[in-house]
Amino acid sequence: MQIPQSSIDEVVARSDIVDVVSKHIKVKRSGQNYFACCPFHNEKSASFSISPSKQIYHCFGCGESGNSISFVMKFLGLDFISAVKSLASQYGVLLPEEDSTPYSKEIVKQKKQRKLDLDQVMQNSLQFYRKQLANSSYARHYLENRGLTSNIINQFELGFAPNNFQNLQQVFSDYTTNKFMLDSGLTLDSENGKRYDRFRDRIIFPIKNIQGNIIGFGGRILVKGEPKYLNSPETELFSKSKELYGLYEAKKTIRDESQSIVVEGYMDVIALHQYGVSNAVATMGTAATEEHIKQLFRLSDNICYAFDGDNAGKKAAWRALERSISLITDIKSVSFLFLPDEHDPDSYIRQYGVDNFKEKTKTSSVGVITFLLNQLSTQVNLQQDEGKARFISLVKPYLEQIKAAALQVILKKQLANMVDLDPNAVESILNNRSRFAFYNKSLKNIQNNYNSNIKRAPLNVSLMNAIVLSLFNNPKLAREFPVPSIEVLLTLDEDVTRLFQLIDYLENYCDSFEDINMPDVILSISFQHINLNAVYQKVSLERTNYTSVFALSIEDYQNNLRDLIIGKKRKPMPKLV
């Protein structure tokens, strides 16, 4: 398989060298670079240097050096193709199909030159826009009124596109025929074939990829008109679903603080950076995508979405939650900060100060579980049983997307509290085995209220023992029991309620004998008349040496259980309050 050079370049551009190396060895920041003990030779002092700005590594001890691809090749022992494929899959780069026709050397050379030509067009256009801003008191006055300093304007390389249809003709003598201007989205052709600039009478925000290369532009109109913001179209350089505004400027702080702050617009990003919140980035005309989130998680452990507190801000936050929930782990987390309705991050910092904003991101942001439950609870009436049932059904699809084990447990516990059910009951419902779920809490109350001094009628121990033997031999029988009413259970021996606890465990967690975890069973369920461990060992021995002599048909099992329930009963207890 021959991989096009353009795809290789994209893999190198997307696979941040620090992220690639730190997945395999421990690195430590020192100044602008990162250092580690070289993985390619034995050493005690760290001489292996990783440069985020140059996207290369170099060992001053053994001389090994290269980029992300060569590191993966050397460290994992992969060939070039396999290393590129590995990085492409991790960083969301789509490679051509293996059976596609290989590119000739001439085509590869042409594609490489095309990439250089596109880059040059973008750079020349940026320099033009920056020069126009310097010469326009009108545009500079607008930015000054927005509170931007010359330092932040220069840091983000802001520019200005005058209100003319063919501004860029001043830069490109072949303006009317230059295909790279058209392909990069800088110009458009009208129906009658006349070419004109996309950006006119707008403040220009250059959009950079994580390497700092100009891949597109955004424009903010200076007078009333629509659209207020205009972005470059989708091109071979720019895809809004993959790029984040400000990431190039923010990546160092994001990595150092292990947190990124996602806001809604260019000006919010620039204002936050100006006031020292230099880990802020923004999406561009789209909700946060999985690629955005993966990119940020590669640099940090937490993403904080800081949106306006109005309906639009909450809708944006909800879309971000939907994209994030399947990607969070017990280490990688997401939180949401909602500002007062009348504020965006820019105006909030100007009124309350940067320290207040930073503190708010720590103390007033809500986690993904809290935000999820709060938003879904507004759709139901939790004072009604029907509302509780619907609430569980609304939460379930999101719960199923969470891969983080601890977070799943926390969500289930909070869900159980909100619907006032035992956590085991909620677990049963979520597992689609809900027939016995609502008995758990009542059974617990029954057991707690038994009076040991009341004389009980003799329990049919042999029948009970036969039922337990058959359940251990075939745990799926637990899904076939006839459910007794709570009033009936009140009249039965304590060991019968313990039997139903065992049935509940087997129904929820076991499909076969091998699934039974006896330490857990013995720890949580203790019969007075039956030694569960002895029964389990007996079944195990029989299954190993003989045929399944304890096997029962569903009908026989149900009959046995029915006989146990409607047989001799103890004196009725008072109904529980």
Side-chain angles (χ1 to χ4, degrees), residues 428-429 431-436 479 507-511:
S428 297
I429 296 169
N431 289 337
N432 293 322
R433 297 171 180 170
S434 58
R435 289 171 298 131
F436 192 60
R479 303 168 195 175
E507 180 193 12
N508 280 294
Y509 300 107
C510 304
D511 290 322

Side-chain angles (χ1 to χ4, degrees), residues 237-525:
L237 293 179
F238 173 64
S239 173
K240 63 184 179 181
S241 65
K242 295 180 179 179
E243 306 297 341
L244 289 160
Y245 181 72
L247 184 59
Y248 172 71
E249 291 81 5
K251 65 179 181 179
K252 180 178 178 295
T253 306
I254 290 174
R255 187 180 283 118
D256 291 345
E257 298 184 5
S258 196
Q259 184 192 53
S260 59
I261 297 176
V262 180
V263 293
E264 293 184 89
Y266 300 119
M267 291 301 296
D268 286 335
V269 170
I270 294 173
L272 289 175
H273 277 254
Q274 178 170 295
Y275 285 94
V277 186
S278 52
N279 58 336
V281 298
T283 57
M284 292 170 282
T286 181
T289 66
E290 285 194 7
E291 182 59 34
H292 292 147
I293 297 160
K294 288 177 180 178
Q295 198 169 26
L296 292 175
F297 272 154
R298 287 194 289 266
L299 297 173
S300 65
D301 289 337
N302 174 257
I303 301 171
C304 178
Y305 295 101
F307 295 148
D308 303 355
D310 57 13
N311 288 334
K314 288 181 179 177
K315 287 180 179 179
W318 183 254
R319 290 194 296 270
L321 179 145
E322 291 180 319
R323 302 296 203 288
S324 304
I325 198 164
S326 64
L327 301 174
I328 56 179
T329 68
D330 291 332
I331 297 175
K332 303 289 186 179
S333 63
V334 165
S335 57
F336 299 87
L337 174 65
F338 296 103
L339 299 173
D341 289 354
E342 67 276 11
H343 284 294
D344 55 27
D346 181 6
S347 64
Y348 186 89
I349 283 185
R350 295 185 194 284
Q351 181 167 343
Y352 297 104
V354 65
D355 291 338
N356 184 290
F357 179 82
K358 287 183 176 181
E359 183 64 24
K360 201 170 183 66
T361 62
K362 296 176 182 178
T363 60
S364 300
S365 60
V366 297
V368 66
I369 298 302
T370 301
F371 181 49
L372 173 71
L373 294 177
N374 286 348
Q375 286 297 106
L376 293 180
S377 66
T378 62
Q379 303 179 32
V380 299
N381 183 355
L382 289 177
Q383 302 304 312
Q384 298 177 350
D385 291 339
E386 292 80 1
K388 293 177 181 179
R390 174 160 171 72
F391 187 50
I392 294 174
S393 69
L394 290 175
V395 173
K396 184 178 178 180
Y398 297 96
L399 177 64
E400 291 172 344
Q401 295 182 58
I402 297 177
K403 300 180 179 68
L407 210 58
Q408 272 198 354
V409 173
I410 293 169
L411 175 54
K412 290 175 183 177
K413 183 177 180 181
Q414 292 191 23
L415 174 61
N417 289 337
M418 293 181 73
V419 297
D420 192 29
L421 285 176
D422 185 274
N424 289 332
V426 172
E427 183 80 39
S428 297
I429 296 169
L430 293 171
N431 289 337
N432 293 322
R433 297 171 180 170
S434 58
R435 289 171 298 131
F436 192 60
F438 291 93
Y439 284 83
N440 287 335
K441 191 171 182 179
S442 298
L443 286 173
K444 185 176 180 181
N445 290 336
I446 292 170
Q447 186 174 351
N448 291 339
N449 284 276
Y450 269 127
N451 187 333
S452 59
N453 294 322
I454 293 181
K455 294 181 180 180
R456 299 184 178 88
L459 177 71
N460 189 336
V461 177
S462 61
L463 183 57
M464 170 86 79
N465 194 70
I467 292 172
V468 175
L469 283 168
S470 64
L471 282 167
F472 277 168
N473 183 64
N474 180 16
K476 288 185 178 180
L477 286 175
R479 303 168 195 175
E480 306 296 339
F481 68 93
V483 181
S485 67
I486 294 300
E487 288 73 16
V488 171
L489 288 173
L490 282 167
T491 69
L492 302 179
D493 190 273
E494 274 185 285
D495 268 6
V496 177
T497 64
R498 295 189 180 107
L499 173 63
F500 279 104
Q501 290 173 343
L502 176 63
I503 289 172
D504 185 45
Y505 166 80
L506 296 174
E507 180 193 12
N508 280 294
Y509 300 107
C510 304
D511 290 322
S512 65
F513 175 78
E514 289 72 23
D515 293 334
I516 301 173
N517 188 330
M518 278 310 292
D520 285 350
V521 173
I522 294 171
L523 187 64
S524 58
I525 305 171

Side-chain angles (χ1 to χ4, degrees), residues 16-54:
D16 180 70
I17 187 67
V18 178
D19 182 55
V20 171
V21 174
S22 61
K23 287 180 179 179
H24 302 287
I25 61 175
K26 186 177 181 179
V27 302
K28 186 176 182 180
R29 186 170 176 271
S30 179
Q32 294 183 349
N33 296 331
Y34 289 76
F35 286 86
C37 288
C38 181
F40 306 129
H41 80 283
N42 293 325
E43 64 175 4
K44 294 183 180 179
S45 58
S47 62
F48 188 81
S49 173
I50 308 136
S51 171
S53 59
K54 298 178 181 178

Side-chain angles (χ1 to χ4, degrees), residues 45-224:
S45 58
S47 62
F48 188 81
S49 173
I50 308 136
S51 171
S53 59
K54 298 178 181 178
Q55 287 296 300
I56 61 171
Y57 66 87
H58 177 75
C59 177
F60 294 96
C62 67
E64 282 287 344
S65 62
N67 59 14
S68 55
I69 296 176
S70 57
F71 178 84
V72 171
M73 290 175 63
K74 181 78 173 177
F75 189 85
L76 298 179
L78 301 177
D79 58 38
F80 180 78
I81 298 296
S82 298
V84 173
K85 284 183 176 180
S86 174
L87 290 171
S89 65
Q90 294 178 54
Y91 294 93
V93 178
L94 185 63
L95 297 179
E97 298 295 330
E98 291 196 28
D99 58 354
S100 59
T101 304
Y103 289 126
S104 66
K105 289 184 179 180
E106 183 61 29
I107 293 178
V108 170
K109 183 179 178 180
Q110 291 174 5
K111 287 182 171 292
K112 188 172 183 178
Q113 185 59 49
R114 175 178 172 79
K115 175 69 164 54
L116 292 174
D117 290 338
L118 286 169
D119 288 342
Q120 192 61 53
V121 164
M122 301 301 279
Q123 282 293 337
N124 291 346
S125 300
L126 172 62
Q127 295 308 314
F128 170 79
Y129 291 138
R130 295 201 68 195
K131 184 178 179 180
Q132 296 305 306
L133 177 62
N135 294 334
S136 172
S137 58
Y138 163 60
R140 292 199 312 274
H141 183 66
Y142 170 83
L143 293 176
E144 288 169 1
N145 283 345
R146 293 296 300 263
L148 300 188
T149 65
S150 59
N151 286 339
I152 202 70
I153 290 172
N154 290 331
Q155 180 184 344
F156 282 85
E157 300 187 278
L158 303 189
F160 173 62
N163 192 18
N164 298 312
F165 275 86
Q166 295 178 325
N167 290 308
L168 292 175
Q169 195 169 28
Q170 302 176 47
V171 183
F172 301 97
S173 58
D174 58 347
Y175 179 85
T176 58
T177 59
N178 189 316
K179 63 178 180 178
F180 301 112
M181 298 182 68
L182 194 65
D183 293 345
S184 62
L186 289 167
T187 59
L188 302 94
D189 285 343
S190 65
E191 292 181 359
N192 59 15
K194 187 175 182 179
R195 182 164 292 190
Y196 61 97
D197 288 8
R198 180 180 298 274
F199 299 104
R200 305 180 306 278
D201 197 28
R202 292 178 181 270
I203 295 295
I204 297 298
F205 302 84
I207 301 168
K208 304 174 185 177
N209 62 17
I210 197 169
Q211 308 301 331
N213 299 319
I214 306 299
I215 57 175
F217 295 99
R220 206 278 188 198
I221 198 166
L222 293 182
V223 295
K224 290 183 179 181

